[in-house]
């Protein structure tokens, strides 16, 4: 991850957790001084462990003043991956550990991925499967995020109709550059809910093409197809939260819930809408099937 000494986080997790439990921040930093990455990971994981709101401000300052200023985007991605992998393998750290990567990060790749992990791994509130997506939507509405487009795009590319329904009214909050970011957050998989969200958006802009927004959304629609890794379109729903270590039975149930169909079959379904868009003069929506 870095050119410093090996991460204590990896080489001696027990000792790392002992240091994490130290109350004084200067003593934690001193104990982990051999590697700055350990210091950052400790503070992020500590927040995910204690979930103390008093930790938010100092953690945000560390992220802004140290991580964003001193770390390359690739190194920040690796930092995020350490946290994401930890969340899959332990139960004592909450998804709150992902919040610095959602709220303070500027990288589209990091933010959109952290959003997907947050809503996929976080436990439900009041048994509401949309509780975690609603958390992110609230953050977008608050205007507190550094990359609204990536947060919106992460939710959009979950490919879940229920999430897309929640996103529809807040799309107007995005600036054009944020919309461009959002529609280019493809995961490499095609989801009917995502494609149809963008189609609905395009159809609602007929006669308003000259402002460039049509081209931005149409470009994202076409990008979905170019990035597609499978000859499938997923037309069903996602499970929230997803099992951390899914069994073969879990995986089969998830596939059944996702309702995959071939790209050819799905393309035939939406072809009339694409032709209608082309005929109306937009011409930018083609290729999504």
């Amino acid at each position: 991850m870095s050119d410093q000494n090996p991460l204590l986080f990896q080489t001696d997790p027990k000792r790392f957790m002992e240091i994490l439990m130290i109350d004084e921040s200067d003593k934690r930093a001193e104990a982990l001084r051999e590697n700055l990455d350990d210091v950052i990971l400790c503070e992020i994981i500590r927040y995910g462990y204690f979930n103390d709101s008093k930790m938010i401000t100092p953690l945000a300052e560390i992220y802004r003043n140290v991580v964003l200023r001193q770390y390359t985007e690739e190194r920040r991605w690796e930092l995020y991956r350490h946290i994401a992998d930890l969340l899959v393998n332990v139960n004592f750290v909450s998804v709150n550990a992902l919040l610095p990567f959602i709220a303070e990060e500027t990288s589209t790749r990091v933010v959109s991925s952290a959003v997907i992990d947050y809503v996929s791994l976080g436990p439900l509130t009041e048994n509401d499967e949309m509780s975690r997506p609603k958390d992110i939507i609230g953050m977008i509405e608050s205007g507190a995020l550094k990359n609204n487009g990536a947060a919106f795009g992460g939710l959009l590319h979950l490919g879940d109709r229920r999430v897309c329904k929640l996103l529809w009214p807040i799309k107007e909050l995005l600036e054009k550059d944020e919309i461009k970011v959002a529609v280019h957050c493809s995961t490499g998989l095609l989801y009917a809910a995502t494609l149809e969200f963008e189609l609905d958006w395009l159809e609602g802009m007929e006669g308003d093409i000259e402002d460039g927004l049509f081209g931005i959304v149409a470009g994202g629609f076409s990008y979905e197809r170019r990035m597609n890794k499978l000859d499938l379109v997923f037309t069903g729903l996602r499970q929230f939260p997803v099992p951390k270590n899914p069994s073969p039975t879990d995986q089969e149930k998830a596939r059944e819930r996702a309702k995959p169909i071939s790209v050819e079959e799905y393309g035939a379904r939406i072809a009339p809408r694409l032709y209608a868009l082309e005929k109306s003069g937009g011409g930018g929506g083609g290729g999504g099937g």
Side-chain angles (χ1 to χ4, degrees), residues 137 152 156 161-173 193 196-205 273:
I137 287 172
F152 189 102
L156 177 61
R161 296 182 189 281
R162 299 163 299 175
V163 176
C164 287
K165 184 177 180 180
L166 294 174
L167 287 173
W168 186 258
I170 70 163
K171 68 186 190 303
E172 310 301 333
L173 298 178
E196 289 162 24
F197 183 100
E198 293 171 350
L199 274 177
D200 290 342
W201 204 346
L202 290 169
E203 289 167 344
M205 286 188 282
R273 298 181 68 182

Side-chain angles (χ1 to χ4, degrees), residues 83-112:
I83 299 297
D85 291 344
L86 177 70
L87 292 175
V88 171
N89 290 295
V90 304
N91 292 317
F92 57 83
V93 178
S94 78
V95 291
N96 284 348
L98 292 170
L99 292 178
F101 301 102
I102 295 171
E104 301 298 334
E105 181 58 58
T106 57
S107 163
T108 293
R109 175 172 62 154
V110 174
V111 174
S112 59

Side-chain angles (χ1 to χ4, degrees), residues 78-246:
E78 293 177 12
L79 196 71
Y80 152 71
R81 285 306 322 163
H82 278 304
I83 299 297
D85 291 344
L86 177 70
L87 292 175
V88 171
N89 290 295
V90 304
N91 292 317
F92 57 83
V93 178
S94 78
V95 291
N96 284 348
L98 292 170
L99 292 178
F101 301 102
I102 295 171
E104 301 298 334
E105 181 58 58
T106 57
S107 163
T108 293
R109 175 172 62 154
V110 174
V111 174
S112 59
S113 299
V115 163
I116 289 173
D117 282 335
Y118 178 89
V119 302
S120 297
L121 298 174
L124 306 183
T125 302
E126 297 181 351
N127 206 34
D128 178 8
E129 282 198 273
M130 293 296 99
S131 54
R132 293 299 178 172
K134 288 175 182 175
D135 287 348
I136 302 298
I137 287 172
M139 295 176 203
I140 295 171
E141 291 176 322
S142 75
L145 304 185
K146 300 299 186 294
N147 192 334
N148 274 331
F152 189 102
L155 291 180
L156 177 61
H157 289 85
L158 287 165
D160 187 282
R161 296 182 189 281
R162 299 163 299 175
V163 176
C164 287
K165 184 177 180 180
L166 294 174
L167 287 173
W168 186 258
I170 70 163
K171 68 186 190 303
E172 310 301 333
L173 298 178
L174 302 182
E175 302 292 338
K176 284 186 185 177
D177 59 340
E178 294 173 330
I179 292 171
K180 187 173 184 179
V181 168
V183 298
H184 283 80
C185 287
S186 173
T187 61
L189 301 176
L190 287 178
Y191 294 97
T194 305
L195 295 170
E196 289 162 24
F197 183 100
E198 293 171 350
L199 274 177
D200 290 342
W201 204 346
L202 290 169
E203 289 167 344
M205 286 188 282
E206 291 182 25
D208 192 30
I209 296 169
E210 67 281 356
D211 68 358
L213 183 56
F214 188 101
I216 291 172
V217 178
F221 186 93
S222 297
Y223 183 73
E224 303 282 355
R225 180 188 177 189
R226 296 198 302 274
M227 293 299 291
N228 183 36
K229 300 174 183 177
L230 302 174
D231 185 31
L232 295 171
V233 178
F234 297 95
T235 65
L237 300 174
R238 294 177 67 98
Q239 178 181 355
F240 297 101
V242 298
K244 288 188 175 183
N245 295 290

